[in-house]
Amino acid sequence: MGDMEGNKSSQAYPMKGGDGASSYTNNSSYQKSLAEVVMSLIDEAVAEKLDVLSFPREHPFRIADLGCSIGPNTFTAVQNIINSVQLKFQATLKTTSTPEFQVFFNDHTSNDFNTLFKTLHSYKHYYAAGVPGSFYDRLFPRSSLHVVYSSFALHWLSKVPVEVMDKGSLAWNKGRVHYGGAEKEVVVAYRQQYERDMCGFLNARAEEVVCGGLVVVLVPGRPNGVTHSKCIGNVLFEVLGCCLSDMAKEGKIDEQKVDYLNIPVYYASPKELEDIVNQNGYFTIDRMEGLPRIVEPETKHAARRLALGIRVGVEAVFKGHLEDETIDELFESYSKKLEQVPSLYSSGGASIMYAVFRRNDK
Amino acid sequence: MGDMEGNKSSQAYPMKGGDGASSYTNNSSYQKSLAEVVMSLIDEAVAEKLDVLSFPREHPFRIADLGCSIGPNTFTAVQNIINSVQLKFQATLKTTSTPEFQVFFNDHTSNDFNTLFKTLHSYKHYYAAGVPGSFYDRLFPRSSLHVVYSSFALHWLSKVPVEVMDKGSLAWNKGRVHYGGAEKEVVVAYRQQYERDMCGFLNARAEEVVCGGLVVVLVPGRPNGVTHSKCIGNVLFEVLGCCLSDMAKEGKIDEQKVDYLNIPVYYASPKELEDIVNQNGYFTIDRMEGLPRIVEPETKHAARRLALGIRVGVEAVFKGHLEDETIDELFESYSKKLEQVPSLYSSGGASIMYAVFRRNDK
């Protein structure tokens, strides 16, 4: 076995830990309601696509949540997957006896695993483990996982594409924090990084997932045919970039700093993901679709909640570059901007991609 | 599968985290030098007793360190076990290809897993996972582990025996913090708790360890034939209890508090452990011996280091009962006492028990 170099070259931007007002735990309700929608889809995927006869009941059934953050959504999700798998075993084998379950909660090393472990329910019906590291690399032994789940994580690139930080490159992303509205070269640099990362993800999972095992992905994306600049995720980051530029113009932030601040997020379309999976060849796409977008109401409350949601996600990217007070002021002005122009978030194309891949026979 | 109730009724006293002067990381050198001695023993146990032919090379080889604390000793220990296992595979199968390794680092939920994960070497040759929970309960799926290692952890009871905190019981441990020098009933209560805990440990491991798999235990104990009151561990706690009583007499601590402060540690003899393992019946004792005691020199430095070592271990027991300043003062006077009377720690019987159990065929 070669060196497992872990996060050597990747950057980790953990969700904000703890349980304060701007923590992930208290701002993940959007993911939760969506997860409820998704659960019936997963139930369907397990019922229709998981061939439990090929998994001996005497062996543990292993599930991983990749990019699990600190809960509580991950606990709900894995419990629902377990329920679905148990039902499938019972229906197929006409027995109430099912395998033992082992669940691996994965996220970057900088994730707050202490909080994750403390909030794990003691009366759970599975054996739990935490696995630190980037899911763009190998994390598990060969053929050791049956279901892999990843929710709201795969839009995070392993790192900012190097070209966009390179002053000498055509893809240098001067004055912006993201590729929405940027030069074509910037968009290409982001897309190529996404392709490299997804290949890393699929190659690693191809080794780890047993034949017939499922990879279930839920990720914010861009509907087919919608341009990047019309995608709500990109619009939201563009507005954030404008707020940052305004502060730079007011002399509150060094303008050069803005040039090197880039958010490593890519919103792929179902078509893009489909092409990558097909080209990779290790998995069959069982399902790939855009879920209906949950439209935010044009209220002050919604604008504030959305701004906070973005903050929870990207704050770690800004830390180390900007002072805490500057970040507070930035998100204060960002929140106000969204309140004033609610059409920024209530219209435009965005979708959640839901995909199920099945590991082909080896 | 029934409810896995985790630590429901057990108390967790984690080693002190972080990297401050009194942290575990900076005060575990004694365990380290000992670990080096033990490594050659483990190498021998693996070479002589591990039947690698019964473990298919295509399947992951799984190792758990139970009560691993936060490193770095656990990393050295598991890497050495892996090296031994690789050598055994290579020697037996005449091939350089060995299985993939997965290592589970276990400790109480209150252990600082964030620090553990951050100090994990990126270039390690195994897949790592953290497992929170008490090793006196089930932690892993059935037949999923090949080697279990536990160093300096199994002398910690799952909880203080209830009788010693019960004013109405003959085993009420008034005015003491441990059973050394206490009434016979107190000693019996501690021993019975140890027996219950070890049974819990062995029953859980019997489920989790594959047939032919090894459990390697390193634990401070008491040589056969040495009375509790002569065992250095007990003497050290008795001195600590005296320091506490002195502070109570000086009015610095409520005397009643001392009555309810008990350290949940039991120093068993090889004979006691042997009897429990034989009665349990799931494991064969491949090896059981006392390692030579490393005698501390009678210097101020040694006394201070020893006092700090004891503090790292038991501080968590005192937290919540005593103010931080009181704990500081207690260990200051404890350290002085050991400096003044070095014979307290430089003589007396104590030993490290080293044991290897092999899982019998089911």
Side-chain angles (χ1 to χ4, degrees):
Chain A
M1 177 167 47
D3 277 330
M4 277 170 262
E5 305 184 348
N7 296 325
K8 188 179 55 134
S9 63
S10 74
Q11 295 153 0
Y13 303 102
M15 298 299 108
K16 197 172 172 188
D19 57 2
S22 70
S23 70
Y24 173 81
T25 310
N26 286 333
N27 288 286
S28 47
S29 57
Y30 172 64
Q31 280 97 313
K32 190 175 174 194
S33 64
L34 191 80
E36 283 162 4
V37 174
V38 167
M39 278 313 142
S40 61
L41 288 168
I42 290 179
D43 205 39
E44 207 178 299
V46 169
E48 289 175 9
K49 304 292 182 186
L50 196 73
D51 176 18
V52 296
L53 287 174
S54 62
F55 311 138
R57 208 170 68 221
E58 306 74 46
H59 292 184
F61 190 99
R62 295 189 169 94
I63 297 166
D65 183 353
L66 306 184
C68 65
S69 191
I70 56 168
N73 292 349
T74 183
F75 304 134
T76 314
V78 298
Q79 189 55 58
N80 278 316
I81 293 171
I82 289 173
N83 294 347
S84 301
V85 174
Q86 281 179 323
L87 281 175
K88 180 69 191 273
F89 265 97
Q90 287 160 359
T92 311
L93 303 173
K94 311 288 179 211
T95 165
T96 54
S97 141
T98 60
E100 291 188 324
F101 291 89
Q102 189 171 32
V103 175
F104 296 94
F105 296 97
N106 155 261
D107 212 317
H108 277 291
T109 303
S110 48
N111 186 50
D112 187 356
F113 283 94
N114 287 350
T115 296
L116 179 80
F117 287 167
K118 274 170 197 146
T119 47
L120 254 175
H121 203 294
S122 335
Y123 291 90
K124 62 197 182 310
H125 290 263
Y126 55 85
Y127 299 101
V131 172
S134 165
F135 49 58
Y136 294 120
D137 290 306
R138 286 286 301 279
L139 292 167
F140 303 93
R142 263 192 295 275
S143 302
S144 67
L145 297 176
H146 299 84
V147 172
V148 168
Y149 174 75
S150 181
S151 172
F152 280 77
L154 276 167
H155 56 314
W156 283 95
L157 301 173
S158 68
K159 60 179 181 181
V160 173
V162 284
E163 308 92 303
V164 307
M165 311 260 264
D166 175 5
K167 212 170 170 172
S169 164
L170 282 173
W172 187 37
N173 199 19
K174 184 169 168 50
R176 294 178 182 279
V177 295
H178 201 229
Y179 62 86
E183 300 296 323
K184 190 185 149 214
E185 288 82 358
V186 177
V187 181
V188 170
Y190 265 85
R191 194 181 60 231
Q192 287 175 342
Q193 183 63 46
Y194 176 74
E195 286 167 0
R196 280 192 296 272
D197 284 341
M198 278 309 297
C199 276
F201 178 86
L202 292 168
N203 289 339
R205 299 302 85 73
E207 294 282 341
E208 297 164 356
V209 175
V210 299
C211 294
L214 302 181
V215 175
V216 179
V217 169
L218 193 66
V219 64
R222 190 175 95 251
N224 286 330
V226 167
T227 59
H228 289 292
S229 58
K230 289 275 166 58
C231 168
I232 182 173
N234 297 79
V235 172
L236 286 172
F237 283 147
E238 215 179 329
V239 174
L240 185 64
C242 290
C243 293
L244 203 63
S245 291
D246 287 348
M247 285 176 74
K249 277 174 207 145
E250 290 165 25
K252 290 172 179 165
I253 306 171
D254 182 353
E255 269 195 64
Q256 288 192 317
K257 270 201 174 161
V258 181
D259 296 342
Y260 292 96
L261 260 179
N262 286 279
I263 299 169
V265 161
Y266 186 76
Y267 296 111
S269 67
K271 180 74 175 66
E272 282 176 298
L273 181 54
E274 203 179 313
D275 287 348
I276 294 171
V277 175
N278 286 335
Q279 208 168 345
N280 175 269
Y282 288 118
F283 293 89
T284 299
I285 300 174
D286 275 341
R287 191 133 177 187
M288 169 84 78
E289 62 191 79
L291 301 186
R293 189 182 152 218
I294 298 165
V295 179
E296 297 282 347
E298 296 192 356
T299 63
K300 187 174 169 176
H301 179 71
R304 295 210 149 255
R305 193 156 42 78
L306 205 61
L308 202 50
I310 295 281
R311 178 175 183 156
V312 169
V314 305
E315 185 159 4
V317 178
F318 291 172
K319 288 252 182 196
H321 294 277
L322 305 177
E323 304 282 332
D324 286 356
E325 299 72 34
T326 312
I327 296 175
D328 285 343
E329 195 179 334
L330 169 66
F331 282 97
E332 194 49 44
S333 84
Y334 182 54
S335 184
K336 282 206 183 102
K337 181 91 92 179
L338 296 182
E339 281 175 44
Q340 287 158 3
V341 195
S343 61
L344 285 171
Y345 63 83
S346 66
S347 64
S351 75
I352 308 299
M353 267 200 284
Y354 167 72
V356 180
F357 313 137
R358 189 156 33 90
R359 179 67 175 97
N360 299 330
D361 286 347
K362 287 168 190 179
Chain B
M1 176 167 46
D3 276 330
M4 277 168 264
E5 304 184 350
N7 297 324
K8 187 179 56 131
S9 62
S10 74
Q11 295 154 359
Y13 303 101
M15 297 300 106
K16 197 172 173 188
D19 56 3
S22 69
S23 69
Y24 173 81
T25 310
N26 287 333
N27 289 285
S28 47
S29 58
Y30 172 64
Q31 279 96 313
K32 192 175 173 193
S33 64
L34 191 78
E36 283 163 3
V37 174
V38 167
M39 278 313 142
S40 62
L41 288 168
I42 291 179
D43 206 38
E44 205 179 300
V46 168
E48 289 175 9
K49 303 294 182 185
L50 196 73
D51 176 19
V52 296
L53 287 174
S54 63
F55 310 138
R57 208 169 69 221
E58 305 75 48
H59 292 184
F61 190 98
R62 295 189 170 93
I63 296 165
D65 183 353
L66 306 185
C68 64
S69 190
I70 56 168
N73 293 349
T74 182
F75 305 134
T76 314
V78 300
Q79 189 55 58
N80 278 315
I81 293 171
I82 289 173
N83 294 347
S84 301
V85 174
Q86 281 179 323
L87 280 176
K88 180 70 191 271
F89 265 98
Q90 286 161 359
T92 311
L93 304 173
K94 311 287 179 212
T95 165
T96 54
S97 141
T98 59
E100 290 188 324
F101 290 89
Q102 189 171 33
V103 175
F104 296 94
F105 296 97
N106 156 260
D107 212 316
H108 278 291
T109 303
S110 49
N111 186 50
D112 187 355
F113 283 95
N114 287 349
T115 296
L116 179 80
F117 287 167
K118 275 171 196 145
T119 47
L120 254 175
H121 204 293
S122 333
Y123 291 89
K124 63 196 182 307
H125 289 263
Y126 56 84
Y127 299 101
V131 171
S134 165
F135 50 57
Y136 293 121
D137 290 305
R138 285 286 301 278
L139 293 166
F140 303 93
R142 264 191 295 275
S143 301
S144 67
L145 297 177
H146 299 83
V147 172
V148 167
Y149 174 75
S150 181
S151 172
F152 280 75
L154 276 167
H155 57 313
W156 283 95
L157 301 173
S158 70
K159 59 179 182 183
V160 173
V162 284
E163 309 92 303
V164 308
M165 310 261 263
D166 175 5
K167 213 172 170 172
S169 164
L170 282 173
W172 187 38
N173 199 19
K174 184 168 167 53
R176 295 179 180 278
V177 296
H178 201 229
Y179 61 88
E183 299 296 325
K184 190 184 148 212
E185 288 82 359
V186 177
V187 181
V188 169
Y190 265 86
R191 194 182 60 231
Q192 287 175 342
Q193 184 62 45
Y194 175 74
E195 286 166 1
R196 281 192 295 273
D197 284 341
M198 278 310 296
C199 277
F201 179 86
L202 292 167
N203 289 338
R205 300 303 85 73
E207 294 281 341
E208 297 165 357
V209 174
V210 299
C211 294
L214 302 181
V215 175
V216 179
V217 169
L218 194 66
V219 64
R222 191 176 93 250
N224 286 329
V226 167
T227 59
H228 288 293
S229 58
K230 290 275 165 59
C231 169
I232 183 173
N234 297 78
V235 172
L236 286 172
F237 283 147
E238 214 180 328
V239 174
L240 186 64
C242 289
C243 293
L244 203 63
S245 290
D246 287 348
M247 286 176 73
K249 277 174 208 145
E250 291 164 25
K252 290 171 178 168
I253 306 171
D254 182 353
E255 270 194 63
Q256 288 192 317
K257 270 201 174 161
V258 181
D259 297 342
Y260 292 96
L261 261 179
N262 286 278
I263 299 168
V265 160
Y266 186 77
Y267 296 111
S269 67
K271 179 74 174 70
E272 282 175 298
L273 182 53
E274 201 179 315
D275 288 347
I276 294 170
V277 175
N278 286 336
Q279 208 168 346
N280 175 271
Y282 289 119
F283 292 89
T284 298
I285 301 174
D286 274 342
R287 191 133 178 188
M288 168 85 77
E289 62 190 80
L291 302 186
R293 190 185 152 216
I294 297 164
V295 180
E296 297 282 347
E298 295 193 356
T299 63
K300 186 174 170 177
H301 180 70
R304 296 213 147 252
R305 192 158 41 79
L306 205 61
L308 202 51
I310 294 281
R311 177 174 184 158
V312 169
V314 305
E315 185 160 5
V317 178
F318 291 171
K319 288 252 182 195
H321 294 277
L322 305 177
E323 304 283 330
D324 286 355
E325 297 73 34
T326 312
I327 295 175
D328 285 343
E329 195 179 335
L330 169 66
F331 281 97
E332 194 49 45
S333 84
Y334 182 54
S335 183
K336 282 206 183 101
K337 180 91 91 178
L338 296 183
E339 282 175 45
Q340 286 158 2
V341 196
S343 61
L344 285 170
Y345 63 82
S346 66
S347 64
S351 76
I352 308 300
M353 267 199 285
Y354 167 72
V356 179
F357 313 137
R358 189 157 32 90
R359 180 67 174 98
N360 300 330
D361 286 349
K362 289 171 189 177

